[in-house]
Amino acid sequence: MATKKQIPDVDEQWRRWQIENDPERFEHIDTEQLKSDLIADLTIKSQMDVREYTLYQKWCEVHEKYPTRIMSTLFGDDHQMVDKDQESVIQEIKSDIWMPKDADDYANLKPKMILSNGSSSKEYNADKWNTLRTFSSTMKNNSNIGRNLYYTVIDEITKKFLGVICISSDFLDLTPRDKYIGWPKDIKTTGNMINHTAIGSTIVPLQPLGFNYMGGKLLALLCLSDTVQNDWRNQYGDVLVGVTTTSLYGNTKSNGLSQYDGLEHWNKMGFSSGSVAFDPNRDILNRIYNWVKENHTKHYFEWWEAKKPNGLPYKRDHKNRTLHFAYGKMKIPKDLVKCAHQRGIYFSPLYNNTCEFLRKEITADQLVKSFDTSEETLANIWKTKYAKGRISMLKKKNNVSYESLFYDDLIFMSWEETKAKYLPQVGR
């Protein structure tokens, strides 16, 4: 029987890594040139409001992941995708997005969550998940280091796509949530109780499910399902007792509300401390990583290479750690680094005594479930409490949408074209 590979302690990992990596072969990065390019890039982004910056990140992401080339034809220049397989996947997905034939078709939906992690299924694999996620939301598709459960949500009857969910390692520090739990920091982190909560890092309905029927509320409810709880325990060995999420805009949104406000089983905790860090473009970001590797090698190793005994990264949030450190060392002006922006924080305790468990006052066998977390029950809450009233209102206003709103046309659009067409859609 195969045994799990023993991971040495960090000091031994560092010793071995130094032997295997010759500093003379590290890419040299000119510090002053990097600083100049970084300041120029951040100056442009710091002048954007949060909606424009969100859309700009999406545009950059699409153009990096889906490159095009100009082909000369008898009819003039034609922009074409470099990777024809990507093009095929996009077209296949677009034909499989759920679209109602009648406004009340939502009542027949039977949502089903399919775990896409390492799936060999051609219909629901990781490539399909990432394509769905990239083009169904104006929010950048960021991959998270640590625990991740990727779900493709379909209608079990028609097999059509309804949305995507990612359940990830929870944020270490969210003051309003931690205050609600009464969470001592030592128990939360060194006591590993943070592993018993997760965050809905992606909760994205496809359109027109989102607009017509408040589909975001359906997906948020499904984040609390038995399916998620069972997969969390099976994949990571921890009982899941609570789920966190954050809104995209918090109190910067015009009406101050998000899809989580007033949603059954989700409690609003308050707002985050209020800042969003600007990301440099991909070329500058890679140069920053290499600059830290060249000039502050031990930090680079601990953030990017070192592992805990369980195989997870030694330090969380390696990207932001690296950027924060590099900005400080290069003395980048603080007003270029972040913009003031608060996000709403929401938390769903899955048990009546979730907080007591997270404070280590009780054990797992004493947990008392708060509510029925079957997918069927959660979907019925959505249908009766949210979708029914929403579509009834839209029907009265003759405003029912039959638009899929898939953002794949960004592949061929300039930034100015993208801003003119989609800025009003950000966050939808």
Side-chain angles (χ1 to χ4, degrees):
M1 184 175 179
T3 57
K4 192 172 182 180
K5 185 178 180 181
Q6 183 76 20
I7 297 178
D9 63 31
V10 173
D11 288 339
E12 178 60 18
Q13 291 178 54
W14 170 235
R15 187 187 70 79
R16 295 181 186 181
W17 190 85
Q18 286 179 293
I19 293 172
E20 295 168 0
N21 292 270
D22 181 3
E24 295 296 323
R25 296 188 177 182
F26 292 168
E27 181 180 351
H28 173 67
I29 304 297
D30 184 281
T31 302
E32 290 305 313
Q33 184 62 55
L34 174 58
K35 180 177 178 179
S36 175
D37 292 345
L38 178 58
I39 288 176
D41 183 64
L42 294 179
T43 297
I44 294 172
K45 291 170 181 173
S46 66
Q47 294 170 356
M48 298 177 178
D49 65 24
V50 67
R51 288 176 178 270
E52 185 178 354
Y53 177 62
T54 297
L55 185 61
Y56 182 72
Q57 281 191 301
K58 170 58 62 176
W59 180 80
C60 290
E61 174 195 6
V62 168
H63 280 251
E64 288 167 3
K65 291 181 178 178
Y66 298 87
T68 60
R69 60 189 168 202
I70 298 176
M71 302 293 291
S72 296
T73 70
L74 293 174
F75 306 100
D77 290 341
D78 181 32
H79 288 261
Q80 297 181 359
M81 292 181 65
V82 172
D83 189 333
K84 293 301 179 182
D85 288 339
Q86 287 182 329
E87 188 174 9
S88 296
V89 171
I90 291 171
Q91 295 308 316
E92 184 181 347
I93 284 176
K94 288 174 70 174
S95 67
D96 283 334
I97 294 174
W98 181 79
M99 184 70 64
K101 295 178 180 177
D102 179 84
D104 292 326
D105 281 352
Y106 77 95
N108 300 318
L109 288 175
K110 190 176 181 182
K112 179 180 175 64
M113 304 175 71
I114 299 176
L115 188 63
S116 298
N117 292 50
S119 173
S120 58
S121 167
K122 182 181 177 182
E123 292 82 6
Y124 311 117
N125 59 26
D127 285 343
K128 286 278 186 73
W129 189 96
N130 275 299
T131 303
L132 278 165
R133 170 63 181 84
T134 297
F135 295 114
S136 60
S137 172
T138 49
M139 191 70 177
K140 186 178 179 181
N141 180 14
N142 285 318
S143 57
N144 301 297
I145 298 297
R147 300 178 174 189
N148 290 290
L149 300 175
Y150 299 100
Y151 292 99
T152 304
V153 184
I154 67 166
D155 171 35
E156 192 170 5
I157 299 171
T158 64
K159 310 303 180 186
K160 299 295 187 180
F161 295 118
L162 300 178
V164 287
I165 292 171
C166 182
I167 306 294
S168 305
S169 301
D170 207 352
F171 288 144
L172 276 177
D173 296 306
L174 284 175
T175 300
R177 177 206 61 192
D178 296 348
K179 186 177 179 180
Y180 167 81
I181 294 170
W183 224 351
K185 191 168 185 178
D186 59 334
I187 291 177
K188 178 178 61 174
T189 53
T190 57
N192 294 321
M193 297 309 287
I194 190 68
N195 293 334
H196 295 280
T197 68
I199 189 164
S201 57
T202 292
I203 304 175
V204 178
L206 298 180
Q207 300 297 349
L209 181 78
F211 175 77
N212 286 345
Y213 309 102
M214 294 187 167
K217 292 183 183 292
L218 167 63
L219 269 65
L221 287 168
L222 291 177
C223 290
L224 316 178
S225 67
D226 292 337
T227 300
V228 172
Q229 295 177 54
N230 292 335
D231 287 340
W232 191 263
R233 183 190 288 269
N234 292 336
Q235 293 270 351
Y236 307 118
D238 294 312
V239 58
L240 185 66
V241 301
V243 183
T244 306
T245 197
T246 61
S247 62
L248 183 57
Y249 293 111
N251 60 4
T252 66
K253 196 172 179 179
S254 58
N255 61 7
L257 297 176
S258 84
Q259 66 183 11
Y260 311 112
D261 284 308
L263 180 57
E264 188 161 340
H265 304 312
W266 281 97
N267 303 322
K268 189 167 187 176
M269 302 286 98
F271 293 96
S272 63
S273 57
S275 63
V276 168
F278 295 114
D279 280 347
N281 67 35
R282 176 59 57 184
D283 170 68
I284 295 174
L285 189 63
N286 288 334
R287 282 193 279 156
I288 290 172
Y289 297 158
N290 286 324
W291 180 84
V292 173
K293 185 176 182 179
E294 178 189 14
N295 296 283
H296 304 278
T297 310
K298 183 70 179 290
H299 286 300
Y300 175 87
F301 165 78
E302 290 183 349
W303 297 336
W304 290 89
E305 304 289 344
K307 298 285 189 279
K308 293 180 180 178
N310 61 8
L312 292 174
Y314 180 63
K315 296 288 187 180
R316 287 188 179 217
D317 204 13
H318 59 296
K319 174 186 168 184
N320 286 329
R321 285 179 185 272
T322 304
L323 288 179
H324 181 76
F325 176 81
Y327 290 169
K329 289 294 182 181
M330 286 188 274
K331 295 182 171 54
I332 303 300
K334 291 184 178 180
D335 61 339
L336 299 182
V337 174
K338 293 183 178 182
C339 69
H341 172 53
Q342 292 182 306
R343 297 185 183 215
I345 299 171
Y346 303 82
F347 184 68
S348 178
L350 302 175
Y351 296 87
N352 292 334
N353 45 1
T354 281
C355 296
E356 289 86 344
F357 175 78
L358 292 174
R359 296 195 300 262
K360 282 193 170 183
E361 295 169 4
I362 63 169
T363 54
D365 61 326
Q366 296 173 286
L367 287 166
V368 179
K369 202 158 192 176
S370 294
F371 52 93
D372 185 346
T373 51
S374 66
E375 287 182 39
E376 182 180 4
T377 296
L378 295 170
N380 283 335
I381 291 172
W382 163 70
K383 288 179 181 179
T384 57
K385 286 199 168 187
Y386 307 109
K388 183 178 180 180
R390 171 67 172 178
I391 196 62
S392 176
M393 181 268 291
L394 291 177
K395 285 162 65 177
K396 289 178 182 177
K397 294 183 176 181
N398 196 29
N399 196 28
V400 177
S401 173
Y402 292 91
E403 180 186 8
S404 64
L405 200 61
F406 207 64
Y407 295 101
D408 57 307
D409 57 346
L410 265 65
I411 294 171
F412 304 103
M413 295 171 67
S414 69
W415 165 235
E416 290 303 321
E417 290 170 333
T418 300
K419 185 165 63 170
K421 181 175 181 179
Y422 284 121
L423 192 57
Q425 302 284 356
V426 174
R428 181 175 170 183

